[in-house]
Amino acid sequence: MDGTVHIDGVDPVFSILDPEEIFFRAFKYADFDICELSLSSFTVKTANDDCPYVGIPVFPSRAFRHTSVYIRTDRGITRPVDLKGRRIGVPEYQLTANVWVRAILEEYGVRPADITWVRGGYEHPGREEKIALKLPPDVRLESLPAGDTISSALAEGKIDAVIGPRAPSCFEQGHPQVGRLWTDPVAAASEWYGRHRIFPIMHLLGIRKDVVERYRYLPAALFKAFEEAKSVALARLSNTAATKVTLPFVEERLQHARALMGNDFWSYGLQSNRHVLDSFLQAHHAQGLSSRRLTPEELFHPASLEVFQI
């Protein structure tokens, strides 16, 4: 965005927006030529053959989702298995973070059918799924009563837990009966990564299909530019003589990530992420979100999967 890296043949106009706004506008109205996309929503639409976008294997957002389960601490919930039979709030059932959390919970014997899912807006009532879903018949999905929010319902004890990509405000504000399921999510996620070698992908880059048909060079040009931008960002992050983020222990966190996951811990491209994507697509289909089991190749424009060599 600041011009350090140029996209070959493109004079871009950027809109800097929250993911919720981007995804709503992209999947509802296809507002953007190129944009960040929810991996889950993109997979739903791609499996249905009605997605206006084609993917590029650039992943602007990745996150370990052991941070994403918030619980009432007065309900006897101390282990994942304790979520069985509970009422759990979600901003949308199909969100990428929720797909990953449900996959993690399955390892503890907690199936989606073991939970009553309660949908609503985190801080504003009335949020609905941005795309239509056909869930398995044993999945119970309710909506919050009019006027309620996920955060208020958790604070008032109307639900037992919340799963989602953001912390509800009642947690951020220090509600005495609201906490995390995994009290040390870094340790839990590090152990999980050691077993599975998965750094969960949340978002990918998308190009509107009518745009790429007119400008066929775009997939390769975008992949090249975003790879270069990532290299610049990591080089800056490594230069701790003048820290680039307002956070203590940046150097130690960077060293921890590289020791655990290797130097290219935030990799782009299909081949280095095939295992991650295949695991996600398997879980997505098993949870009844995608109408057919996609392969990783089906997500991306072919021109973004090959690079030249000298």
Side-chain angles (χ1 to χ4, degrees), residues 222-299:
L222 287 167
F223 185 80
K224 173 186 171 183
F226 275 82
E227 274 278 31
E228 185 179 347
K230 177 164 66 77
S231 295
V232 171
L234 285 171
R236 290 176 176 175
L237 192 65
S238 301
N239 180 10
T240 54
T243 304
K244 301 303 182 294
V245 293
T246 50
L247 187 70
F249 308 116
V250 173
E251 184 175 6
E252 289 75 14
R253 279 301 184 205
L254 190 59
Q255 289 172 347
H256 174 261
R258 285 176 169 155
L260 179 67
M261 303 164 64
N263 285 336
D264 192 17
F265 56 85
W266 201 298
S267 60
Y268 292 167
L270 172 59
Q271 293 310 322
S272 58
N273 288 284
R274 180 180 293 279
H275 170 53
V276 179
L277 292 162
D278 205 53
S279 298
F280 176 83
L281 294 172
Q282 175 60 35
H284 197 269
H285 182 62
Q287 292 174 25
L289 292 168
S290 41
S291 57
R292 59 188 180 89
R293 170 59 157 89
L294 294 172
T295 65
E297 285 84 355
E298 291 180 84
L299 302 177

Side-chain angles (χ1 to χ4, degrees), residues 77-210:
I77 302 171
T78 60
R79 304 168 300 160
V81 71
D82 296 329
L83 294 175
K84 282 190 174 184
R86 305 289 184 165
R87 293 172 55 80
I88 298 182
V90 290
E92 291 181 47
Y93 187 81
Q94 60 83 36
L95 292 183
T96 309
N98 295 350
V99 177
W100 283 114
V101 172
R102 285 192 293 267
I104 294 169
L105 292 178
E106 290 255 18
E107 298 179 26
Y108 297 90
V110 183
R111 300 168 51 250
D114 295 330
I115 291 164
T116 298
W117 304 92
V118 184
R119 180 179 55 206
Y122 261 120
E123 312 299 338
H124 303 281
R127 179 171 175 174
E128 298 290 340
E129 300 280 348
K130 69 177 71 68
I131 52 180
L133 301 176
K134 294 181 180 179
L135 297 176
D138 60 352
V139 173
R140 298 183 299 278
L141 180 61
E142 303 175 359
S143 293
L144 280 174
D148 280 1
T149 66
I150 292 290
S151 183
S152 67
L154 186 63
E156 295 166 16
K158 296 178 180 178
I159 55 178
D160 302 299
V162 169
I163 296 175
R166 293 178 183 267
S169 60
C170 62
F171 173 82
E172 297 285 6
Q173 294 163 6
H175 190 288
Q177 275 82 49
V178 174
R180 279 194 167 122
L181 175 62
W182 282 282
T183 55
D184 188 346
V186 174
S190 298
E191 187 275 334
W192 185 79
Y193 179 84
R195 287 189 289 113
H196 296 288
R197 316 307 291 179
I198 290 174
F199 183 18
I201 293 169
M202 297 294 125
H203 305 163
L204 76 162
L205 191 68
I207 311 176
R208 212 172 59 227
K209 289 177 177 176
D210 64 309

Side-chain angles (χ1 to χ4, degrees), residues 33-34 52-56 205-209 211-212 218-219 222:
D33 297 329
I34 301 164
Y53 292 90
V54 63
I56 305 295
L205 191 68
I207 311 176
R208 212 172 59 227
K209 289 177 177 176
V211 173
V212 79
L218 266 179
L222 287 167

